[in-house]
Amino acid sequence: FLRHARSRNYASELDVCKLESVPLDFGDYHPLKPITVTESKTKKMSRKGSTSSTSSSSSSSMMDPLSSVLDGTDPLSLFAAAADPVTTAASVDGTRKKRDKDDCSAVGSDFEPWSSKRGDILARYTTTEKLSINLYMGSEKGKATSGGSAVSEKVRTRLEELDDLEEGSQKELLNLTQQDYVNRIEELNQSLKDAWSSDQKVKALKIVIQCSKLLSDTTVIQFYPSKFVLITDILDTFGKLVYERILSMCMDNRVSLSDNFSPETVNDTAKETCLNWFFKIASIRELIPRFYVEAAILKCNKFLSKTGISECLPRLTSMIRGIGDPLVAVYARAYLCRVGMEVAPQLKESLNKNFFDFLLTFKQIHGDTVQNQLVVQCVEIPLYLTLYSPAIDWILQCIAYRAPEVLLTEMMERCKKLGNNALLLNSVMSAFRAEFIAARSMDFIGMIKECDESGFPKHLLFRSLGLNLALADPPENDRLQILNEAWKVITKLKNPQDYINCAEVWVEYTCRHFTKREVNTVLADVIKHMTPDRAFEDAYPQLQSIIQKVITYIHDFSLLFSVEKFLPFLDMFQKETVRVEVCKCIMESFIKHQQESTKDPVILNALLHICKTMHDSVNALTLEDEKRMLAALVNGFIKMVSFGRDFEQQLSFYVEARSMFCNLEPVLAQLIHSVNQLAMETRKVMKGNHSRKTAAFVRACVAFCFITIPSLSGIFARLNLYLHSGQVALANQCLSQADAFFKAAVSLVPEVPKTISIDGKMRPSDAFLLEFLCNFFSTLLVVPDHPEQGVLFLVRGLLNVIQDYTWEDNSDDKVRIYTNVLHLLSAMTQETYIYHVDKVDSNDTLYGGDSKFLAEINKLCETVIAQILDHLKTLGKEETLRRQSQLALYFFNTILAHGDLQNNKLNQLSVNLWNLAQKHGFADTKTMVKTLEYIKRRSKQPEMSHFTELALRLPLQSRT
């Protein structure tokens, strides 16, 4: 018979394919060294007939001679930029944005801006009561006059508009809900912008005045902080519009003012406009709108004089003394501090004076007027005092920003003079740097003890102190005493919500500075307070926070789970979604911080319980992403478990895990991989020579995999795991078990669907099947035939399955698979296979090149070649000629690499395939030329001389 496959000497082929090693002297060369460009300049000599001399100079980049002559400036570009108003406007806008950014950053990034507090205030201070608002009703007179109107007419119109405001051109809206009120304020803000853009400046001013008046209304007092936030947004908008308007008037020849301009550079028109605004505001009769509107445009003083802002701040501070309601006054002070920090953060004296004024009038809070108002509105003193917190906190934050430590001492003294007022003390602890507060912890505890608890609860003070101690450490000698003093107060709290809000903060302090004994005591106290009446159900966020803080500071999980009350603490999370979130946090921390594998029974039992909790939450409605996340956490735990050389204990753990996590397929797949790895580690320890005991153990591992794989739903997951497990069984000399895995894989191939879901999208499965089968063929080379089965029974079974599989009409994957089968059959005919499995005799050893075995392989080759040729014939239609050309060349290359071209039939077949590839002009000419060059090159090798004749029989056809 004539062989189809050529004989291969793999060792010599490898030597031929190796790159030639050439000694290289690097010298100064290094591939990462920057490239140096050498510029050559040619200088012509002045004398006639003289030779030109060339001088070389090295430079990192080429110089543009035109740019060097122009010194980097292009006069045409400059002229165009000067003439283009769009470009000019863009440059002015860019400068303006830069200036705004510089102004905002003047206080530094460590200063918490008002914008970050705004949302919290709106969310915290709400009401269900009805609100009222006065809306400005514009008149026809308010419309902009035509360009031809006289100046005196314009002035008269504006005066009439101002009179309208006094004559009651307003509409009062009553019985508004909180959301309606917010919507109305937003409408006013938009009306302000619309009026300004349509050049109705007086109307805009009226809107701002009207909004400012709302800040004197405290009829729904618990909503006042939120009202302040909404109204001051409008004031900020107005202040910005006025400033930008005056700034635009300062442009000279389309060039705006520099960032640090001086009043001398401002033109007279801009100054006059600026003064006009201040005069208009000064004519407002009522104090509160006059104060707020002037504060809103405080920044405009920069256009008038260098000292304008520093002179206005004390005057505005004094104006606030005329506001009778202490709540209204304190928010006015907060707004002044806010504007002051934006425009002149260096003027701390005025801010301090503002706060000290507040301290002088602080006793008004307990006056009869306020008390009567609270009685009418049915508001308790503790609730009323919390309304002051945002304003006082902001004022103190401004004062304390980058302030020296001595200022805190002064504040503490003033608090003592006021009888250690709890509200002030709380704000002081919130405003000053945590390091300053922590250093005086015992002093603050003493002041807290002396506070009157009727207005502002002490536990809130201890909470504020705890927040500071979470950021900075107190003196070491005071730490235990601080904890004892704080916990004495906290543990006496009867209200579970008050208790947990405080305890949550102090748990972090305990974890930072103390041992598991103290942490256990704190957790026990929390359980004691939160268990009665199932109070924990209303405190899940705080309880979650406590767990998060404990695992943040305790990374040693053997220590963590030895904390007696930790697991009972977890039992308080009765709501499944919350319990699962907590378990996920614990597992994430374990995976992140556990550096070494563990076999500690305390850790294993606790984490198995936690993982089981996560697993049991999975149901039919669980999203795939959630399943993947939970599976990743469980897998992370499984990978960290190791019993060292106690392989049987390790396998027992995997068996237990399989029974616990049966609903998470990625976990089952990980367990199969882990057991396979365990079998290979056993082989490594025994150096491939299994004893009776280890052989039995390895078979147990193989059995684990064989019974687990069918429980997976993913078809390709099962196929790949059958193949992988079969390879492991083969490596451990479990030949019958390996055959069982490979047979299962072969029987599973017909079940592969045409499409599979990948990341929620349906994709064709052909490419995945092709990849799997190529991997399978590589394994089948070393699998020995079963003595009771026929020759190559696994290969024949797989070929039958491939033949019967229904392929897509437009797919050529079947031919590509058959071509890979030829690669396999070619390798099987060699005297010695290219690779082996240690201590496993493959067919090259079993058959020893037996002629009957080779004849069987050749028959298979003929069958496969016939199948390929039949498929090529079906591609003879016009629409499939390109595919036919590509497949013909692909098959030709296979014969060239693996076939015995001394076989005349195969030689003629290769020539026919070459011609078929070029027949209809679809072959790539470059590819064909390179292929022919390769054949000619190979023909020069002694054993490949027959390639010379082949090359002569392979013509190159042009596309024409």
Side-chain angles (χ1 to χ4, degrees), residues 15 24 236 355 392 429 593 687 801:
D15 290 336
L24 179 61
D236 292 342
F355 181 68
I392 299 176
M429 287 191 289
H593 296 114
K687 297 180 180 177
V801 167

Side-chain angles (χ1 to χ4, degrees), residues 722-723 726-727 730 738-746 776 779 783 794:
Y722 274 133
L723 178 57
Q727 291 167 346
L730 198 61
D739 279 349
F741 278 116
F742 296 140
K743 284 179 183 176
V746 171
F776 199 0
T779 304
V783 177
L794 282 174

Side-chain angles (χ1 to χ4, degrees), residues 424-477:
L424 287 180
L425 201 55
N426 189 62
S427 295
V428 167
M429 287 191 289
S430 302
F432 280 86
R433 286 173 56 186
E435 294 83 358
F436 296 170
I437 305 295
R440 295 169 169 75
S441 297
M442 291 307 299
D443 294 337
F444 275 103
I445 285 176
M447 294 171 71
I448 292 170
K449 283 182 179 179
E450 296 172 9
C451 280
D452 178 17
E453 201 170 5
S454 60
F456 199 92
K458 283 186 182 179
H459 68 84
L460 292 181
L461 298 176
F462 274 106
R463 186 176 189 278
S464 297
L465 180 60
L467 288 170
N468 281 288
L469 296 179
L471 300 172
D473 298 335
E476 192 167 350
N477 295 334

Side-chain angles (χ1 to χ4, degrees), residues 548-703:
Q548 189 66 56
K549 285 166 182 172
V550 171
I551 61 178
T552 299
Y553 288 97
I554 303 180
H555 297 157
D556 181 353
F557 277 76
S558 59
L559 177 66
L560 177 65
F561 291 124
S562 66
V563 175
E564 186 184 345
K565 294 296 181 181
F566 183 75
L567 291 177
F569 190 93
L570 292 181
D571 292 338
M572 285 197 292
F573 294 98
Q574 303 277 309
K575 189 177 179 182
E576 186 182 62
T577 53
V578 180
R579 187 167 69 248
V580 171
E581 284 301 317
V582 171
C583 291
K584 282 160 64 176
C585 285
I586 295 171
M587 292 309 303
E588 285 168 1
S589 178
F590 174 79
I591 293 168
K592 180 179 179 181
H593 296 114
Q594 186 72 21
Q595 301 296 326
E596 299 176 354
S597 55
T598 181
K599 61 178 181 179
D600 185 333
V602 175
I603 294 179
L604 296 189
N605 289 332
L607 291 184
L608 276 173
H609 171 69
I610 288 169
C611 290
K612 178 67 173 167
T613 301
M614 294 193 300
H615 168 271
D616 292 347
S617 70
V618 175
N619 54 42
L621 300 178
T622 306
L623 298 174
E624 287 300 319
D625 283 347
E626 179 71 8
K627 288 182 183 178
R628 272 196 293 271
M629 184 186 296
L630 295 176
L633 294 173
V634 177
N635 285 344
F637 163 58
I638 289 171
K639 291 175 186 176
M640 293 303 297
V641 176
S642 173
F643 290 89
R645 288 291 185 90
D646 191 351
F647 291 159
E648 291 183 355
Q649 183 67 30
Q650 188 85 29
L651 182 59
S652 298
F653 169 77
Y654 291 144
V655 170
E656 183 184 359
R658 181 179 62 184
S659 66
M660 295 177 73
F661 307 122
C662 56
N663 288 337
L664 292 173
E665 289 199 7
V667 176
L668 295 178
Q670 176 60 45
L671 287 170
I672 294 167
H673 285 301
S674 297
V675 171
N676 280 329
Q677 185 178 357
L678 188 61
M680 294 306 290
E681 284 178 9
T682 307
R683 176 180 181 274
K684 183 179 178 182
V685 169
M686 300 303 293
K687 297 180 180 177
N689 300 308
H690 283 297
S691 64
R692 183 178 296 178
K693 184 179 179 181
T694 58
F697 174 76
V698 166
R699 284 195 292 273
C701 291
V702 170

Side-chain angles (χ1 to χ4, degrees), residues 28 86 143 245 414 431 562 568 844 857 874 944:
D28 292 335
V86 176
K143 293 182 180 176
R245 164 71 176 153
R414 287 180 177 267
S562 66
D844 58 342
I857 292 177
T874 63
M944 293 293 178

Side-chain angles (χ1 to χ4, degrees), residues 366-427:
H366 302 287
D368 293 339
T369 307
V370 172
Q371 298 299 323
N372 293 337
Q373 186 183 18
L374 297 182
V375 170
V376 170
Q377 295 199 32
C378 300
V379 175
E380 299 291 332
I381 276 285
L383 174 61
Y384 175 68
L385 290 178
T386 59
L387 303 178
Y388 284 80
S389 293
I392 299 176
D393 287 350
W394 178 258
I395 295 169
L396 278 168
Q397 179 187 324
C398 297
I399 293 172
Y401 178 65
R402 293 182 181 173
E405 201 166 351
V406 66
L407 183 62
L408 175 58
T409 308
E410 184 182 350
M411 287 292 176
M412 290 172 71
E413 290 301 322
R414 287 180 177 267
C415 284
K416 287 177 183 176
K417 288 180 181 177
L418 287 169
N420 289 329
N421 183 274
L423 176 64
L424 287 180
L425 201 55
N426 189 62
S427 295

Side-chain angles (χ1 to χ4, degrees), residues 6 8 13 16-17 892-899 901 914 926-941 943-944 947-948 950-951 954 956:
R6 69 182 178 90
R8 307 282 292 271
E13 285 185 31
V16 171
C17 292
F892 172 83
N893 286 329
T894 294
I895 294 174
L896 195 64
H898 300 280
L901 289 172
W914 176 269
K926 287 183 180 179
T927 304
M928 304 302 283
V929 169
K930 287 182 178 179
T931 305
L932 192 55
E933 287 175 356
Y934 167 76
I935 294 169
K936 290 177 180 177
R937 202 162 52 247
R938 290 291 303 276
S939 68
K940 296 176 183 178
Q941 297 174 11
E943 69 276 12
M944 293 293 178
F947 270 37
T948 306
L950 176 66
L954 302 178
L956 282 173

